[in-house]
Every structure is written in C-alpha cells, then in structure tokens.
C-alpha cells in the first residue's frame, strides 16, 4: 500500500485526513495532526500506512490519530492514538507497546541555574553514580516474591511505604501512580524474574535522567500553578516498566494472536493483534498491563529517590526536589469521550502519546485543576524540552491526547554513521551540557540530529489547540544508559 | 546462513536466510546475539550457560519469533548471550531445543522485544528460507 499526498485531505492548517474510503477495511478515517512540512517528513517512512491499518481495528471510534512527532513503529505507529468502544471494542497490546507505561516526570528544585552552573559537572557525575543505567544493569533493590506482588498491585505507593518515595508525590502522578485493575497473578514468572532487580534503573535507548533549567515561561498562570519560574533548575526522568513490561507485552501479544480466530478477527499486521476488551483474554491482558504500569510508576518514584539522594549529596540535606507531575505515554485507559456529539465509553490506546486533559479534570491535584493537566514533552539531549498544559480542545479532537517527544527522524544506524560521539560530547560540554553515558554508541544513537525539531512539534500542537505552551526547558546535564 | 542489518527509524531490522528451518533459526539466534553484544557470536567460546526451550506456534513465522523471544528472555534473566542451538526437534509448528551461551558483564544493546512486524518465513528463491525480523529497541 502506498499513500500519496493526493490521498490526504486538508481539514485545517494542522489537521489532515485519509478518508475511510481510501481502503475497504478502514472503519474510520485516519487523521494526522501536523504542519505541512512535518507531514512531508512523516511521509518519508511508513507511519501513515500503519495509521491506516490501525483504522481497521474492531470498534475503533472517531478516527485513528497520529501526533506531529509520529514515526514508524511495528504494527502501530509511535505517536498514535486509537480509541475503541467500551466494553466490547478491541484491546491491542501493540497499541500500548512493549514498554508499558513508559513515561516522564518532572521534579522541581529551588535552585537557580546562575547559582549552580559551576557545580553541574559534579552534579552530573553524582547523578550517574546514584542512578543505575545501561544495558542489563540491576538496581540497588532486589524484590522478594511478596514485594513484587505488592509493587505490581500498589505501584508508586510501595516506594512511598518503603521509604523510597514521598507521600506528597502520589497526588502529582497520572492515576496517582496506581491502576486499581492490576492483577499480579496474571504476570508470568519470567516477567517477574526480569523485574526482580530493575526497580530504580533507567535502562538504555532513549531513556534518560536530565537536569534542565527553565529558559522561558509562556503561560505565567499555569507556570505559577505548576511551581515553575524562569531560571529554575529541574530534573526530568524518562523511563518505563523495564524488562518486566517488555515480557508482559511479549507474553500477551502471543496469547492474543492465538485467540483472535476465536473472535473472527483478522488484522493486516500481526503486531495489531487484538481481542474484545471484555473477553477473557482482553481482561487478562488489561489487568496484567495495569500491573506492569504500576511497576513503571514505582520505578520512576525510586529513580526520583536516587536523584534526590544525589541532589542532597551535592547541595546539602536541606535541599530537595518536588514532583511537578508524572505522566505515561504508552498505556491504555478506559475514559469517556464525546464521539459524533455523544458521550461514549472508550478504551484509549496511547502509544507514544500523552494524556492532555484540560481544566476541571477531577483526578488532578487541586492546585492544577483550574489550569489543566501538565504535559511533559522531552526533546533530545542538546536541544530543549517543554512543559505544556492540556486543553478541552484535546478532548474534542484527539481523545484528550497530545504528542510525547520530538520523534525520531534518523535510524540508529544512520545516526551512528553521521555522529562522532566523543566530538559531540565535547561540543555539548562547550555549550554547557554535561553528558554521562554508558557508551559512546548510546550518545551517537540519541544525538540531536537523530530527532525532529521539537520546537516545530510543540508549535504544531500549540497552534492546533490540543495543548498550550507553559515553559521551555534547556538541558545542562544528561545521564544516559 | 546469511544475516543482514537494515535501517529502521527507531528500531533494528534484520534479514536472515537459512538453508532450512534449523539454519534459519540458528541465523536468528546468532544475529540477535551479535546485537546484544557486538560480535560475541562470531567468536569461539566455551559456553557456561544452558537453557531449554519448547515452543508451539501456529506457523513457522510465529514459531521463529516466539523462539527468539524466549532466547531473549533467557538472555536477560541469565545475564548471558546465547549463540549456539541444539535442536531436539523442530517442525513448522513446534520447536524443542537446548541453547548455549556465555555470561556477560553487560549488553551493548537492550532489545525490548522481538516483534512479529514484517516477519514472514518464505522461500528465498535460492533454495532456502528467509524472513525479516524487527527488534524493538
């Protein structure tokens, strides 16, 4: 299947549609949220073919959607949203991804960049020493079987109870860091084994811990509510459920693929394997996914504890880091949305997409409720990241979703060919960005050149109205696997 | 046996060819091992890790992907890279094998998963079998 520009209809300046008539199996149109230059970029890989495939999922509502940071994935595109009808629409593990509840969190400090710039190198080394990163590296915590059950059931609460987290943090996490439907008995022994020593570890790939400062404030009201001010130093954490989540996804894609014929479901790509949400297989996956998501929230809370330890070691025991917000970008949630003028229950799959609810959302802590939900958009090392705030328009247009990052544009191989990592590390240091990484290969693969322009991505979501810009963050120290 | 690594925007795409099903599976294990730890499966080793695998699947493609997923899981739980496969039985829907590997201090690449995306075991046109395997990185 080839998609040409002529197959795509412009709806608004930043919204494009491939109509349902494009292919017989499409149940809804496929929509792209992008500026025209970004759309041209998106057409370079197979993201749109994958988006069209998603539009054929049983029970899909409204449209299959991709955000401006989309890139080709495996089955589902990365940067996509698919909402299916609750309770018997499809649930697809591929629509969440292998890294269940991969997400980001932002911690704020009361330090100003001008006061600590001379200590950044020391801080980055201490962060690297405290936070285990890299391939196959275990953490400081080794969970007993009972502790594993508790982590999978209670998420970030476990870390708080054991002294690895702060009680006040819980209100500042999506779903308060715990999904109630989690059932640890549905997680395989292999998955539990893989997760035994990985709490508090960031892993590799595009995962990182970053020290940034607030370079610019765009929305003073929202920034004030979120506790952000110009020049303030903040810590950004990006990781997920590690090997445990990868194993859960692997286990259930296999089971769901085997179950599909029983429900008469055929999909154009095996990675779109799905079953009705309310089927036994669908419910088992959903409850296992919730447990893996809880592991991820616990992981990010433990990493915050490690970052806080590093922070105190450098700046003194009276200094700490406050959680601004923690948000998932690989997850499925049961949510109510308006489709063709009617409120319907949906299963919203976000794969490389962030929830972006507007003001009034009850789950939000009271201090954020009048402005909306924080949305954290990490860029690439050496560029910048953003804090946005969700809007009611996102609930009308994108099932309450927004982009999740800059989005890759170069393959890892191409990045390695084009980037001299030791030179890049020195260049970044000259620009005031200290990079601590497990390997030069990791630096090359994640170089800024490998990513789209995060500014363009964020401008697109801001102009389209699905989120508003609150603050721009500039990195000063990057810790990678 | 032939292993080629091809570009993919975010992940790793590998094309493998084999003279038959066993050869194709061995190419998959070797190709994946060399991603986890560059060049490790190209060297002579005295293997210090062994695991047993039994997989049943609907077709040869699913069998290969599930087999490689199982090898990958053992790599992480054993902190090892597996390079050698001894088949105790292999049909188009069932595989029983012993895998042999080497303990490592760390991996060069973290593979999140072996995906079914683009995988399709088919005749290579030169008397063997081939398929694409996309790894989620």
């Amino acid at each position: 299947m080839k998609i040409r520009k002529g197959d795509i209809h412009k709806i608004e300046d930043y919204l494009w549609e491939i109509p349902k008539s494009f292919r017989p199996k499409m149940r809804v149109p496929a929509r792209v949220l992008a500026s025209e230059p970004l759309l041209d970029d998106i057409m370079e890989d197979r993201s749109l073919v994958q988006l069209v495939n998603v539009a054929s999922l049983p029970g899909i509502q409204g449209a299959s959607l991709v955000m401006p940071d989309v890139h080709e994935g495996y089955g589902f595109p990365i940067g996509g949203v698919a909402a299916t009808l609750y309770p018997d629409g499809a649930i697809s593990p591929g629509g969440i991804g292998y890294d269940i509840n991969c997400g980001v969190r932002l911690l704020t400090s009361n330090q100003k960049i001008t006061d600590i710039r001379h200590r950044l190198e020391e801080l980055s080394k201490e962060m690297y020493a405290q936070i285990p990163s890299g391939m196959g590296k275990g953490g400081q915590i080794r969970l007993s079987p009972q502790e594993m059950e508790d982590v999978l059931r209670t998420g970030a609460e476990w870390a708080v109870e054991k002294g690895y987290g702060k009680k006040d943090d819980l209100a500042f996490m999506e779903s308060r860091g715990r999904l109630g439907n989690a059932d640890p008995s549905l997680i395989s022994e292999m998955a539990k084994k893989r997760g035994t020593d990985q709490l508090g570890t960031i892993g590799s790939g595009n995962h990182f811990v970053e020290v940034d400062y607030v370079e610019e404030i765009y929305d003073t009201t929202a920034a004030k509510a979120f506790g952000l001010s110009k020049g303030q130093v903040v810590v950004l954490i990006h990781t997920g459920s590690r090997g445990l989540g990868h194993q859960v996804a692997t286990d259930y894609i296999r089971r769901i693929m085997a179950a599909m014929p029983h429900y008469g479901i055929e999909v154009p790509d095996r990675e779109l394997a799905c079953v009705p949400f309310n089927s036994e297989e669908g419910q088992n996956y959903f409850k296992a996914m919730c447990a893996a998501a809880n592991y991820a929230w616990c992981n990010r809370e433990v990493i915050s504890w490690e970052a806080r330890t590093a922070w105190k070691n450098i700046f003194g025991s009276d200094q700490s880091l406050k959680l601004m917000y923690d948000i998932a970008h690989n997850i499925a949630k049961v949510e109510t949305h308006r489709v063709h003028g009617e409120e319907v229950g949906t299963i919203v799959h976000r794969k490389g997409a962030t929830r972006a609810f507007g003001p009034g959302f009850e789950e939000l802590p009271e201090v954020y409720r009048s402005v909306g939900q924080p949305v954290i958009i990490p860029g690439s090392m050496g560029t910048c990241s953003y804090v946005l705030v969700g809007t009611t328009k996102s609930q009308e247009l994108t099932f309450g979703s927004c982009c999740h990052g800059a989005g890759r544009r170069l393959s890892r191989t191409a990045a390695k060919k084009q980037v001299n990592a030791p030179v890049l590390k020195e260049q970044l240091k000259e620009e005031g960005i200290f990079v601590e990484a497990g390997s030069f290969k990791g630096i090359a693969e994640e170089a800024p050149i490998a990513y789209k322009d995060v500014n363009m991505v964020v401008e697109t979501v801001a102009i389209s109205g699905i989120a508003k810009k609150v603050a721009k963050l500039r990195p000063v120290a990057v810790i990678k696997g | 046996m032939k292993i080629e690594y091809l570009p993919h925007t975010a992940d790793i795409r590998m094309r493998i060819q084999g003279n038959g099903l066993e050869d194709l599976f061995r190419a998959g294990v070797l190709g994946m091992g060399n991603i986890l730890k560059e060049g490790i499966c190209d060297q002579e080793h005295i293997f210090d890790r062994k695991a047993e695998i039994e997989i049943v699947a609907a077709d040869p493609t699913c069998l290969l992907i599930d087999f490689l997923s199982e090898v990958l899981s053992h790599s992480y739980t054993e902190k090892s890279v597996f390079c050698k496969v001894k088949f105790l039985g292999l049909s188009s829907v069932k595989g029983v094998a012993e895998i042999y590997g080497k303990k490592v201090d760390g991996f060069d690449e973290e593979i999140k998963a072996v995906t079914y995306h683009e995988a399709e075991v088919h005749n290579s046109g030169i008397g063997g079998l081939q398929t694409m395997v996309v790894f989620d990185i």
Side-chain angles (χ1 to χ4, degrees), chain A residues 45-46 50 71-75 98-99 134-138 190 193-194 197-198 203-207 242 246-247 250 253-254 257 269-271 408-413 416 439 441 445, chain B residues 6-13 38 55 59 61-62 65-67 69-70 72-74 76-79 105-120 134-137:
Chain A
D45 67 18
R46 295 164 65 198
Q50 296 182 340
H71 63 77
E72 179 183 353
Y74 32 88
Y98 286 95
D99 195 359
M135 277 69 75
K137 294 277 169 65
M190 182 69 93
K193 201 171 169 187
R194 287 179 68 175
D197 66 350
Q198 289 194 323
S204 61
N206 61 354
H207 294 161
R242 310 286 286 109
H246 310 165
Q247 189 67 44
T250 297
I253 288 175
R254 193 184 298 178
M257 213 161 53
D269 186 314
R270 285 184 169 104
E271 288 289 325
R408 276 197 89 89
R409 53 176 284 274
L410 285 186
S411 71
R412 290 169 195 280
T413 317
K416 277 187 284 190
S439 68
K441 185 175 80 66
E445 286 181 357
Chain B
L6 308 167
H8 184 284
T9 310
D11 302 310
I12 293 178
R13 180 183 274 140
E38 205 174 334
I55 299 285
D59 56 55
T61 303
C62 291
I65 301 303
D66 294 351
F67 187 86
S69 293
E70 199 73 7
L72 183 67
S73 301
H74 283 288
Y76 289 129
T77 54
E78 300 285 326
K79 306 262 189 296
D105 289 334
F107 299 101
D108 291 339
E109 195 72 77
E110 191 172 58
I111 298 175
K112 287 179 189 162
V114 189
T115 77
Y116 299 95
H117 182 53
E118 295 185 10
E120 195 65 65
V134 175
F135 298 101
D136 181 12
I137 300 295

Side-chain angles (χ1 to χ4, degrees), chain A residues 110-123:
Chain A
N110 56 12
Q111 298 279 5
K112 290 287 177 188
I113 186 64
T114 44
D115 298 329
I116 69 155
R117 203 179 272 282
H118 64 291
R119 302 196 71 183
L120 286 174
E121 191 164 12
E122 192 186 353
L123 176 64

Side-chain angles (χ1 to χ4, degrees), chain B residues 33-35 37-43 45 108:
Chain B
N34 280 340
I35 295 169
K37 193 88 179 166
E38 205 174 334
I40 191 168
C41 292
D42 298 334
Q43 299 161 17
H45 290 292
D108 291 339

